[in-house]
Amino acid sequence: MQRTRCYIPARNLWGAVTETLTRRGFHTDDVPEGDYAGVGKWVEEHFAFSYWFIEEKGIMLSPAYAGELKYGPYNVAEFERRYLSAHVTTALDAATTSAEDGSLHEVEFITPYAQDGMRTIIGGQVFLDEIAKAVVGDVGKWRKWLNDLQIGGERRYGFGRLCCLKFQKIETGQERYNLEGERPLVRVGKAEPILAHTPANDLRGRGMIEPLVGRRTDARKSDAFGCELTRATVCWEPGTLVEDTEWFEIGREGMWKRKLSTEVSL
């Protein structure tokens, strides 16, 4: 069974934005049209993504280890019953017109409608520098380039299609965000949850730890899709409660990195 996460990691958003911009003909003086790798580096440099979470009635259902893991008001079982489902499929053997051995698999996914019939809404933040603002920095430009995003691995079945319902600029006050440096910084108060994977080596927290490994495709070996593994990083999972007030930098692949207070200019 292929399990889903209960949120969208920033790296998946980077991939979706890169794919959509490239497919729609985006280019710059330095990045030619159709250059996936070049557009990807451009997005990596000029965008920063938060993780995106399901929203329900204006409340973000982000994880938090408050005694037990909860997503907003729901415990894990309630959340999964409300928002997760699975699709079972198999390949056919043409010679026997029966199921091919070893091909039966199940793909879990976030449902487009909740258990009570409400449309599933997913939201988050995208930080843009001045160069990216010129391209997608208002609702008209965003809808031109990124109105539809495709996120997920089972695209042939229509999973993972996101449509922009609301585009909203937010004011980022210094008490929560710091946008003065090269990358955005976010402040998390004591006993509040971090909302992205964060290296565990120099951070005290209460939550779950997992080794985070990514898959990449070498541009010279397009037939070996996703065969290159990144170096594993032991991380606190989103929802971990920090034991002290901390500042974190949003990295180019969406992971957070703890910053010492002496490294933050306030």
Side-chain angles (χ1 to χ4, degrees):
M1 180 176 180
Q2 184 178 352
R3 298 296 305 272
T4 183
R5 294 189 184 276
C6 300
Y7 48 83
I8 302 177
R11 180 173 168 76
N12 296 63
L13 292 162
W14 164 79
V17 168
T18 296
E19 189 272 341
T20 303
L21 287 177
T22 307
R23 182 165 44 81
R24 295 186 176 178
F26 173 79
H27 63 278
T28 70
D29 292 340
D30 301 324
V31 180
E33 184 174 337
D35 181 356
Y36 273 92
V39 174
K41 289 181 179 178
W42 187 89
V43 173
E44 196 176 76
E45 182 178 355
H46 300 294
F47 287 60
F49 300 95
S50 72
Y51 281 35
W52 284 16
F53 302 96
I54 293 174
E55 290 185 14
E56 184 180 283
K57 299 178 181 177
I59 298 174
M60 187 168 65
L61 304 185
S62 56
Y65 287 91
E68 62 173 325
L69 178 59
K70 300 190 75 173
Y71 294 85
Y74 303 115
N75 62 32
V76 173
E78 292 169 335
F79 179 88
E80 291 183 352
R81 186 164 54 248
R82 186 168 177 78
Y83 283 108
L84 300 190
S85 187
H87 176 77
V88 181
T89 187
T90 187
L92 293 177
D93 185 333
T96 63
T97 64
S98 60
E100 184 177 303
D101 287 344
S103 65
L104 180 65
H105 63 285
E106 187 171 0
V107 179
E108 191 179 59
F109 58 92
I110 297 173
T111 58
Y113 292 92
Q115 187 182 39
D116 60 2
M118 291 177 57
R119 179 183 288 277
T120 300
I121 296 175
I122 297 180
Q125 296 163 339
V126 182
F127 300 88
L128 309 173
D129 67 9
E130 295 301 322
I131 294 175
K133 282 181 184 177
V135 179
V136 294
D138 62 39
V139 62
K141 293 173 181 176
W142 184 274
R143 289 188 185 279
K144 173 187 174 184
W145 290 104
L146 300 170
N147 192 57
D148 297 283
L149 294 174
Q150 188 75 44
I151 296 175
E154 292 282 328
R155 298 182 178 189
R156 286 180 297 174
Y157 301 100
F159 295 158
R161 181 168 178 249
L162 296 181
C163 299
C164 180
L165 297 178
K166 183 173 69 175
F167 179 98
Q168 182 179 8
K169 291 185 179 180
I170 60 172
E171 298 296 329
T172 52
Q174 286 283 57
E175 70 278 4
R176 177 65 174 171
Y177 299 99
N178 185 315
L179 307 180
E180 301 299 322
E182 182 179 349
R183 303 292 302 179
L185 301 177
V186 57
R187 177 183 178 275
V188 178
K190 181 179 180 180
E192 292 180 354
I194 55 173
L195 298 180
H197 285 92
T198 306
N201 56 337
D202 63 346
L203 176 65
R204 295 193 306 158
R206 288 179 288 127
M208 295 291 290
I209 285 178
E210 71 169 330
L212 194 64
V213 181
R215 301 178 64 181
R216 294 173 174 163
T217 300
D218 189 329
R220 298 163 298 180
K221 302 176 182 177
S222 59
D223 58 329
F225 179 79
C227 287
E228 182 181 330
L229 300 180
T230 64
R231 185 174 181 178
T233 303
V234 178
C235 292
W236 288 110
E237 290 185 354
T240 294
L241 307 184
V242 296
E243 296 195 353
D244 300 293
T245 297
E246 304 280 3
W247 282 94
F248 298 92
E249 179 183 86
I250 301 177
R252 292 197 170 199
E253 295 191 345
M255 288 174 56
W256 287 7
K257 179 183 177 183
R258 176 175 174 255
K259 302 290 285 187
L260 299 175
S261 58
T262 55
E263 300 176 290
V264 180
S265 58
L266 300 173

